[in-house]
């Protein structure tokens, strides 16, 4: 066992060069150990979260993202309050205990209107945990959403290195703002999630080591890790996808540095390869987020090409998902 892996198992903080060593370590020991750690904490049970893609309007212009503001080819949509309540009732019927409202940074689903939606969802589904993933807002806005009943917020940091962050985003989007927002969410009391893409343009192994050191110190409640996948209408259209092997290694290392965090086997890893979900789960992922959005809108929330949103990725395909999970020895909760 590499010394740095033994140190991780003792809950010691690692230096970047030690994370680099673990990122390049050959063999399956890291994934197998992470898989065991996950089973110790969660059993062979995968948590299901219903994902609702609220809107594909976005004021941000992330170079990698298919729904970025500058992409004029996107057919924009936003769900109405009634449509959201309707899909939530479908989710409740399927026994899902968490709804994740995700979307572009849409000025419509913001402020008082969003607070009202969260209050209404909280009133109608008091037992359901409401998770939001709607981008950067002010501390006051986050506080209002918490007061309205939202309890989890996922805001990926994307990459902690400021120069790499600049390669992925236009100048007005700043890593400092992102980190400030993440700290505000934590301080308010949200179970806060961070994460990023593996294999994004310009990413060096060193950046992933920095990300791991950041995540280890932050100890977030959730970590979303998926491969970068190109979208044909973005400046990154000709870049290759992130690798499955490296994505799975990142999932495993995240599990080892944050043993009790919720780590999804992301839609992106399932879209990259038919092996993606299984490998991520075996390396420590403990959450899957079936898509609850009305089927007619799913193709419009295209963050990258070939995004999976039907079959085992979809809420109506939940039985296919359960069978798939059971074929590799897990049950869904
Ligand atoms: N607007 C919110 C935000 O920025 O946090 C949530 C929606 S955003 C589309 C959700 C995540 O999708 C991003 O954090 C990013 O990591 C991921 N994403 C976007 N484009 C991607 C791509 N081309 N490949 C893989 N993941 C991508």
């Amino acid at each position: 066992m590499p010394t740095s892996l033994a140190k991780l198992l003792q809950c010691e903080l690692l230096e970047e060069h030690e994370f680099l060593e673990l990122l390049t370590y050959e063999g399956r020991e890291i994934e197998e150990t992470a898989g065991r750690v996950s089973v110790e904490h969660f059993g062979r049970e995968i948590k299901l979260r219903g994902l609702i893609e609220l809107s594909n309007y976005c004021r941000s212009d992330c170079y990698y993202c298919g729904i970025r503001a500058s992409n004029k080819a996107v057919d924009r949509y936003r769900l109405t309050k009634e449509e959201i309540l309707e899909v939530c009732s479908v989710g409740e019927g399927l026994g899902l205990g968490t709804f994740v409202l995700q979307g572009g940074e849409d000025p419509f689903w913001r402020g008082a209107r969003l607070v009202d939606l969260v209050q209404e969802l909280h009133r109608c589904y008091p037992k359901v945990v409401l998770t939001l993933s709607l981008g950067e807002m002010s501390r006051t806005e986050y506080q209002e959403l918490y007061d309205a009943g939202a309890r989890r917020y996922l805001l990926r940091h994307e990459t902690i290195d400021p120069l790499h962050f600049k390669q992925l985003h236009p100048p007005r989007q700043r890593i400092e703002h992102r980190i400030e927002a993440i700290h505000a969410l934590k301080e308010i009391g949200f179970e806060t999630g961070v994460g990023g893409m593996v294999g994004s343009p310009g990413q060096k192994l060193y950046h992933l080591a920095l990300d791991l050191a950041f995540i280890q110190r932050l100890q977030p409640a959730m970590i979303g890790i998926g491969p970068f996948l190109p979208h044909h209408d973005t400046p990154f259209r000709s870049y290759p996808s992130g690798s499955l092997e490296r994505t799975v290694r990142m999932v495993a290392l995240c599990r080892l540095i944050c043993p009790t965090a919720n780590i999804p086997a992301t839609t992106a890893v399932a879209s990259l390869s038919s092996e993606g979900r299984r490998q991520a789960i075996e390396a420590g992922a403990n959450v899957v987020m079936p898509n609850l959005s009305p089927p007619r809108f799913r193709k419009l929330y295209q963050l990258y090409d070939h995004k999976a949103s039907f079959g085992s990725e979809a809420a109506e395909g939940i039985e296919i998902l359960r069978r798939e999970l059971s074929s590799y020895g897990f049950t869904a909760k």
Side-chain angles (χ1 to χ4, degrees):
M1 180 182 290
T3 339
S4 32
L5 179 55
K7 278 176 83 175
L8 262 193
L9 294 174
Q10 299 297 320
C11 299
E12 286 184 40
L13 288 180
L14 296 197
E15 304 284 336
E16 279 96 46
H17 71 89
E18 295 173 300
F19 280 122
L20 269 179
E21 187 195 342
L22 293 173
L23 281 162
T24 50
Y25 181 75
E26 287 188 14
R28 301 255 322 134
E29 201 175 348
I30 294 174
E31 285 74 12
E32 285 167 6
T33 311
R36 275 200 300 278
V37 168
S38 192
V39 170
E40 269 165 34
H41 287 285
F42 303 104
R44 298 192 72 84
E45 231 173 39
I46 299 298
K47 301 177 191 178
L48 301 185
R49 320 281 204 214
L51 177 66
I52 302 164
E53 295 161 340
L54 215 64
S55 164
N56 70 357
Y57 283 86
C58 193
R59 63 174 187 158
S60 289
D61 216 15
C62 312
Y63 300 144
Y64 44 83
C65 186
I67 62 167
R68 63 197 296 264
S70 296
N71 185 1
K72 301 300 173 214
V74 179
D75 193 358
R76 304 277 172 181
Y77 76 92
R78 58 172 68 96
L79 301 186
T80 62
K81 183 176 174 181
E82 292 65 37
E83 284 167 331
I84 296 165
L85 286 165
E86 205 177 305
V87 293
C88 287
S89 94
V90 174
E92 195 193 32
L94 291 168
L96 298 171
T98 301
F99 300 145
V100 183
L101 304 185
Q102 194 189 81
E105 294 198 2
D106 180 358
F108 180 91
W109 278 122
R110 192 97 190 236
R113 196 182 281 116
L114 181 60
V115 169
D116 172 67
L117 173 70
V118 170
Q119 272 168 349
E120 180 83 2
L121 290 174
H122 189 50
R123 197 178 56 74
C124 297
Y125 306 102
K127 293 201 182 112
V128 166
V129 183
L130 292 176
T131 305
L132 303 178
S133 177
L134 298 166
E136 287 176 36
M137 298 181 195
S138 67
R139 178 187 283 263
T140 313
E141 285 173 292
Y142 288 146
Q143 183 69 59
E144 285 168 357
L145 292 168
Y146 187 87
D147 296 342
R151 284 295 173 267
R152 298 190 182 128
Y153 204 105
L154 181 58
L155 182 65
R156 289 184 174 187
H157 65 285
E158 311 296 358
T159 172
I160 199 65
D161 180 79
L163 288 177
H164 187 222
F165 194 91
K166 271 191 189 163
Q167 284 178 274
L168 302 181
H169 303 95
R172 68 182 168 77
Q173 292 178 235
R174 306 257 304 268
I175 184 65
E176 294 82 355
H177 298 160
R178 188 63 61 109
I179 299 306
E180 221 173 273
I182 288 167
H183 285 298
L185 287 164
K186 261 198 119 186
E187 283 156 22
I188 288 167
F190 276 102
E191 285 184 38
T192 304
V194 298
M197 293 170 293
V198 174
S200 56
Q203 186 181 73
K204 306 277 180 283
L205 215 49
Y206 172 69
H207 295 132
L208 292 177
L210 290 178
D211 285 332
L212 287 164
F214 164 70
I215 294 170
Q216 191 183 29
R217 281 158 181 77
L218 184 74
Q219 288 295 310
M222 303 176 281
I223 311 165
I225 298 288
F228 160 76
L229 297 167
H231 183 287
H232 62 280
D233 274 325
T234 63
F236 291 162
R237 61 179 68 80
S238 343
Y239 283 86
S241 301
S243 89
L244 177 60
E245 200 184 342
R246 189 158 289 170
T247 303
V248 171
R249 175 60 56 90
M250 279 296 284
V251 167
L253 290 172
C254 285
R255 169 57 65 221
L256 291 170
I257 60 179
C258 299
T260 59
N262 284 315
I263 302 182
T266 54
T267 304
V269 80
S271 303
L272 175 67
S273 157
S274 56
E275 275 290 290
R277 182 155 42 215
R278 182 178 63 77
Q279 289 197 20
I281 288 174
E282 288 179 349
N286 70 314
V287 172
V288 174
M289 304 206 284
N291 197 320
L292 258 182
S293 311
R296 66 183 185 284
F297 293 118
R298 286 188 204 154
K299 286 280 169 225
L300 305 181
Y301 196 82
Q302 214 191 351
L303 309 181
Y304 40 81
D305 294 337
H306 315 298
K307 176 168 166 272
S309 56
F310 289 93
S312 60
E313 271 302 318
E316 69 277 7
I318 211 157
E319 283 314 314
I320 310 176
L321 174 64
R322 285 185 195 282
R323 280 200 295 278
E324 183 187 317
L325 294 175
S326 114
S327 76
Y328 29 91
F330 287 83
T331 54
K333 193 165 139 197

